[in-house]
């Protein structure tokens, strides 16, 4: 019997989607996508020329008309691909073409071309859309999501360094070298906060905007940001993209619908808290203070600095447009409530936000429908909160004791110092008192707190509080001679224990290697604070822990580092931000593919 093939009703829709956004499509569709991507890239380059070179301001109209021409070419290619030869144009096809996300962006850019920023915005949106499609293409090609994550940060850092090298990013009398630009871009993208020049005076407003954009992209995460752009532009998420975002953002296997809600919820939380923080800073800051930004008294300048500090605090970046962080506002309430609060909330992580939202939603539903649905705090949330509060409480006590006994700081000021610095060293990077002026016990406490860091799936760095908690529980179980690691009525799986130990060792080795390199490259340097009890070795070790844990605090040597030292710290910041996460994702893939089919015989070893 001859089998008659049954036509697939979904095939036309799949072919249309392939023509629109699938880089693996055949023939004209693939060529159209690549050509449109090239046009979007050229439009962004035109924006870069206009904004980055003040000397080209006389030719701005020429550049703008080139952008208009690129958008027209984009529209022509889009229409030619969507309406191939031999196909009649009807209302349905015309409506489908006009309601495409990229069609709306192009039409908006062309209609409002008289307002030139619209062209820059349209080109940027089209470029981001094609960057997301490139990411999906890489996933479909089978590239490891962890490797894509590392590459995305690397590309963002290099692009940021290139933009910071533009003449418009720095004052004419203070041009920046490539190493310093790369260092600054890495520090901003990896939300670290170490700086080789003052952000407020060493960069123009254009350069400061670039830095805060890098902070936002690095803090929100390249995967989550790319998915957010795709959702806003109406694109779809592939199965591999969904799992990649789930692995890096929430650690769970979820569907496309739930990952959409997760991405939108993450954007709502991030932008919501940043907007609230910026508004409170705008109205709560004093009219002026010592070493405040020069334009703090103007409405536009005050608004910009409020937004900059709010984004930097929530993303745990530590960048400031003041030369001494928030030291001039050492005892002001905005420092201890707004900056510290944003830093604390930003370091809790997306899984904690999601769990809180689930509980609130369940409580509201139960109250409205009079049902008994119960949603509890997850083990992850409880461990994050408990370990965070315990480490905060211990560090507050140690810093307070050190400030009072070793530095004769008044009790009230010492309490505020202990509160703020205990939160800031969870990788926020701000300081209300210079770390070099604190006592030895305080500096030791800062080192430990920086090494621990914040919560997983957040902008914070370090080994993460969950890893630290699991290691403590493993030690306690060994002391009590228990066969399993238990906490809060739950058992920690051996796989989680192994990963925690691996992450601890990886981060420890990274810190030691970078510290060793700095000791060699900075040999012969004098202490940054002559006459103090801080040695060069302590400065270099502090710098290594701060950089690798993406904290941003320093005892003073950062601007004086040699080029070799800056490169070493740059590598430490990059690996500290993406290394552990990429390692986990890659480890999962390796375990799934290469699970051992045999076991070796056991043999004991002596531990003590």
């Amino acid at each position: 019997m001859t089998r008659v093939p049954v036509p697939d009703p979904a095939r036309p829709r799949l072919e249309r989607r392939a023509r629109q956004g699938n880089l693996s499509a055949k023939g004209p569709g693939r060529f159209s996508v690549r050509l449109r991507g090239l046009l979007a890239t050229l439009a962004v380059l035109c924006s870069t020329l206009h904004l980055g070179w003040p000397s080209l301001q006389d030719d701005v109209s020429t550049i703008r008309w080139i952008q208009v021409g690129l958008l027209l070419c984009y529209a022509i290619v889009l229409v030619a691909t969507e309406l191939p030869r031999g196909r009649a144009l009807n209302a349905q096809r015309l409506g489908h073409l006009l309601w495409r996300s990229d069609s709306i962006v192009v039409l908006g850019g062309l209609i409002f071309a008289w307002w030139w920023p619209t062209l820059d915005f349209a080109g940027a949106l089209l470029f981001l859309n094609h960057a997301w499609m490139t990411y999906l293409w890489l996933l479909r090609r089978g590239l490891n999501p962890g490797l894509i994550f590392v590459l995305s940060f690397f590309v963002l850092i290099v692009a940021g360094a290139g933009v910071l090298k533009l003449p418009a990013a720095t004052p004419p009398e203070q041009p920046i070298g490539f190493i310093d630009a790369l260092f600054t871009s890495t520090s901003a993208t990896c939300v670290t906060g170490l700086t080789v020049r003052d952000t407020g005076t060493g960069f123009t407003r254009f350069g400061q905007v670039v830095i805060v954009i890098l902070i936002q992209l690095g803090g929100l995460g390249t995967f989550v940001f790319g998915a957010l752009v795709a959702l806003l532009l109406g694109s779809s998420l592939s199965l591999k993209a969904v799992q990649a975002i789930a692995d890096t953002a929430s650690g769970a296997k979820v569907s496309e619908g739930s990952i959409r809600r997760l991405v939108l919820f993450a954007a709502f939380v991030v932008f919501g808290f940043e907007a609230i923080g910026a508004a409170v800073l705008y109205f709560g800051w004093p009219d002026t203070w010592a070493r405040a930004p020069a334009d703090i008294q103007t409405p536009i300048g005050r608004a910009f600095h409020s937004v900059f500090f709010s984004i930097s605090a929530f993303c745990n970046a530590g960048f400031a447009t003041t030369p001494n962080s928030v030291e001039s506002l050492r005892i002001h309430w905005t420092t201890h409530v707004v900056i510290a609060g944003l830093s604390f909330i930003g370091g809790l992580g997306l899984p904690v936000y999601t769990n809180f939202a689930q509980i609130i939603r369940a409580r509201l539903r139960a109250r409205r429908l009079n049902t008994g649905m119960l949603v509890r705090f997850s083990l992850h949330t409880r461990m994050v909160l408990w370990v965070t509060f315990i480490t905060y409480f211990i560090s507050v006590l140690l810093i307070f004791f050190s400030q009072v006994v070793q530095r004769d700081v008044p009790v009230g000021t010492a309490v505020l110092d202990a509160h703020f610095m205990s939160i800031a060293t969870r990788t926020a990077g701000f300081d209300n008192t210079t770390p070099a002026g604190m006592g030895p016990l305080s500096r030791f406490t800062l080192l430990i707190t920086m090494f621990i860091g914040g919560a997983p799936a957040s902008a914070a760095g370090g080994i993460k509080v969950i890893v630290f908690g699991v290691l403590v529980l493993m030690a306690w179980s060994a002391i009590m001679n228990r066969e399993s690691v238990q906490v809060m009525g739950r058992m920690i799986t051996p796989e989680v224990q192994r990963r925690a130990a691996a992450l601890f060792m990886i981060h420890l080795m990274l810190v030691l290697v970078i510290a060793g390199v700095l000791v060699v490259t900075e040999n012969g340097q004098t202490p940054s604070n002559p006459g103090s009890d801080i040695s060069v070795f302590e400065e270099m070790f502090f710098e290594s822990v701060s950089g690798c844990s993406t904290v941003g605090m320093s005892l003073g040597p950062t601007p004086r580092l040699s080029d070799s030292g800056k490169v070493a710290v740059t590598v430490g910041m990059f690996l500290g931000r993406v290394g552990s996460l990429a390692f986990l994702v890659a480890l999962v893939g390796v375990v799934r593919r290469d699970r051992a089919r045999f076991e070796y015989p056991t043999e004991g070893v002596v531990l003590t």
Side-chain angles (χ1 to χ4, degrees):
M1 179 182 295
T2 304
R3 300 184 62 181
V4 179
V6 178
D8 183 4
R11 185 175 181 85
R13 176 175 55 84
L14 295 177
E15 291 178 347
R16 183 173 63 250
R17 177 173 294 183
R19 290 197 308 269
Q20 293 173 4
N22 191 347
L23 293 180
S24 62
K26 301 296 183 181
R30 179 172 57 184
F31 175 77
S32 170
V33 171
R34 292 178 176 176
L35 181 56
R36 281 181 280 148
L38 175 61
L39 293 173
T41 303
L42 292 176
V44 171
L45 290 178
C46 287
S47 300
T48 304
L49 286 174
H50 161 60
L51 298 173
W53 270 275
S55 59
L56 296 178
Q57 294 299 322
D58 296 336
D59 300 327
V60 63
S61 59
T62 303
I63 296 176
R64 292 310 191 182
W65 283 115
I66 293 176
Q67 287 180 294
V68 172
L70 291 172
L71 289 183
L72 285 174
C73 292
Y74 192 102
I76 293 172
V77 174
L78 185 60
V79 171
T81 306
E82 184 64 22
L83 302 176
R85 295 180 180 179
R87 302 289 294 273
L89 178 62
N90 53 39
Q92 182 179 2
R93 293 185 61 80
L94 181 61
H96 171 73
L97 176 62
L98 293 178
W99 280 106
R100 285 174 54 101
S101 57
D102 46 0
S103 297
I104 295 175
V105 172
V106 172
L107 286 176
L110 293 176
I111 293 173
F112 296 96
W114 53 268
W115 190 49
W116 297 121
T118 306
L119 296 174
D120 298 327
F121 188 65
L125 283 179
L126 294 174
F127 176 79
L128 290 174
N129 188 36
H130 283 274
W132 172 255
M133 293 192 314
T134 302
Y135 156 69
L136 295 180
W137 177 73
L138 291 174
L139 282 177
R140 285 191 293 268
R141 299 279 293 184
L143 198 62
N144 188 287
L147 181 58
I148 298 178
F149 182 82
V150 174
L151 291 176
S152 63
F153 262 84
F154 178 78
V155 171
L156 183 60
I157 288 171
V158 174
V163 176
L164 290 177
K165 276 286 294 177
L166 296 176
T170 55
E173 67 279 3
Q174 301 181 47
I176 190 171
F178 177 75
I179 297 296
D180 288 353
L182 183 65
F183 186 99
T184 304
S185 178
T186 305
S187 183
T189 305
C190 299
V191 290
T192 303
L194 290 175
T195 57
V196 292
R197 60 165 58 193
D198 177 44
T199 307
T201 59
F203 293 94
T204 61
R205 182 56 51 87
F206 173 75
Q208 294 169 0
V209 169
V210 172
I211 290 174
V212 79
I213 290 176
L214 292 175
I215 292 173
Q216 187 71 88
L217 295 181
L220 188 59
T222 53
F223 277 171
V224 176
F225 177 77
L228 177 62
V229 172
L231 295 179
L232 293 179
L233 293 180
S235 301
S236 62
L237 303 178
S238 68
L239 178 62
K240 289 187 176 181
V242 167
Q243 190 54 53
I245 298 170
D247 287 339
T248 55
S250 65
K253 296 182 182 300
V254 292
S255 63
E256 180 178 347
S258 58
I259 207 68
R260 286 174 179 269
R261 293 190 295 271
L262 175 67
V263 171
L264 294 176
F265 174 73
F268 173 78
V269 170
V270 172
F271 298 139
F273 276 110
E274 289 174 351
I276 295 173
V280 176
L281 289 177
Y282 182 89
F283 294 104
W285 268 340
D287 293 336
T288 187
W289 63 87
R291 309 189 73 179
D295 58 344
I296 194 64
Q297 292 181 320
T298 64
I300 296 179
R302 192 178 185 87
F304 173 78
H305 296 296
S306 300
V307 172
F308 190 101
F309 270 82
S310 181
I311 294 177
S312 182
F314 187 85
C315 293
N316 283 221
F319 275 85
T321 52
T322 54
N324 59 347
S325 191
V326 290
E327 294 175 16
S328 297
L329 299 172
R330 183 176 185 178
I331 60 175
H332 198 266
W333 68 270
T334 55
T335 298
H336 300 277
V337 176
V338 183
I339 301 297
L342 288 173
S343 301
F344 176 80
I345 296 172
L348 290 179
L350 185 56
V352 175
Y353 308 146
T354 305
N355 193 204
F356 271 103
Q358 291 171 346
I359 293 174
I360 294 174
R361 192 182 303 114
R363 297 280 176 85
L364 294 177
R365 186 184 299 113
R367 182 174 300 178
R368 185 177 68 255
L369 302 178
N370 196 24
T371 60
M373 182 179 296
L374 176 64
V375 179
R376 64 176 181 84
F377 284 112
S378 65
L379 177 62
H380 174 89
T381 299
R382 286 182 288 171
M383 285 191 65
V384 166
L385 295 178
W386 271 108
V387 177
T388 298
F389 281 120
I390 290 173
T391 54
Y392 165 79
F393 181 72
I394 294 176
S395 60
V396 163
L397 291 180
L398 295 177
I399 294 175
F400 171 78
F401 177 80
S402 176
Q403 290 293 84
V404 172
V405 175
Q406 297 179 329
R407 287 296 181 262
D408 294 327
V409 176
V411 173
T413 304
V415 170
L416 295 177
D417 290 347
H419 159 71
F420 186 82
M421 297 299 282
S422 297
I423 293 177
T425 49
R426 297 178 69 248
T427 76
F430 290 99
D431 55 80
N432 70 328
T433 180
T434 173
M438 303 177 74
L441 180 59
S442 292
R443 300 196 299 271
F444 177 75
T445 305
L446 297 183
L447 281 172
I448 301 299
T449 311
M450 290 191 302
F451 188 82
I452 295 174
S458 73
I463 63 172
K464 304 297 191 299
V465 292
I466 290 292
V467 171
F468 178 71
V470 170
L471 293 177
V472 172
L473 292 172
M474 290 171 59
W476 179 252
S477 297
I479 293 173
M480 300 301 294
N481 198 26
R482 294 175 179 171
E483 294 184 357
S484 61
V485 178
Q486 305 171 4
V487 59
M488 301 177 187
R490 296 292 185 269
M491 185 177 69
I492 304 297
T493 63
E495 182 182 8
V496 173
Q497 299 175 42
R498 291 193 296 269
R499 290 185 181 183
L503 286 173
F504 172 80
M505 289 305 302
I506 290 173
H507 195 71
L508 178 62
M509 292 302 299
L510 177 63
V511 168
L512 294 178
V513 168
I514 299 300
V517 173
L518 289 178
V519 169
V520 174
T521 60
E522 311 308 309
N523 184 31
Q525 274 202 18
T526 58
S528 302
N529 302 275
S532 66
D533 56 352
I534 304 176
S535 64
V536 175
F537 173 77
E538 182 180 351
E539 289 182 349
M540 296 303 112
F541 188 73
F542 195 98
E543 197 82 1
S544 175
V545 175
S546 179
C548 296
S549 299
T550 68
V551 179
M553 288 190 179
S554 177
L555 296 180
T558 308
R560 302 188 299 112
L561 291 176
S562 63
D563 288 345
S564 301
K566 292 175 183 176
V567 171
V569 176
T570 299
V571 172
M573 291 188 293
F574 178 76
L575 295 180
R577 179 71 177 109
V578 305
S580 300
L581 190 59
F583 171 79
L584 272 179
V585 177
L587 179 63
V588 171
V590 171
V591 170
R592 288 173 181 168
R593 291 194 303 267
D594 301 328
R595 189 177 298 276
R597 301 179 181 179
F598 57 88
E599 292 183 356
Y600 291 106
T602 60
E603 183 175 352
V605 294
V606 179
L607 295 179
T608 58

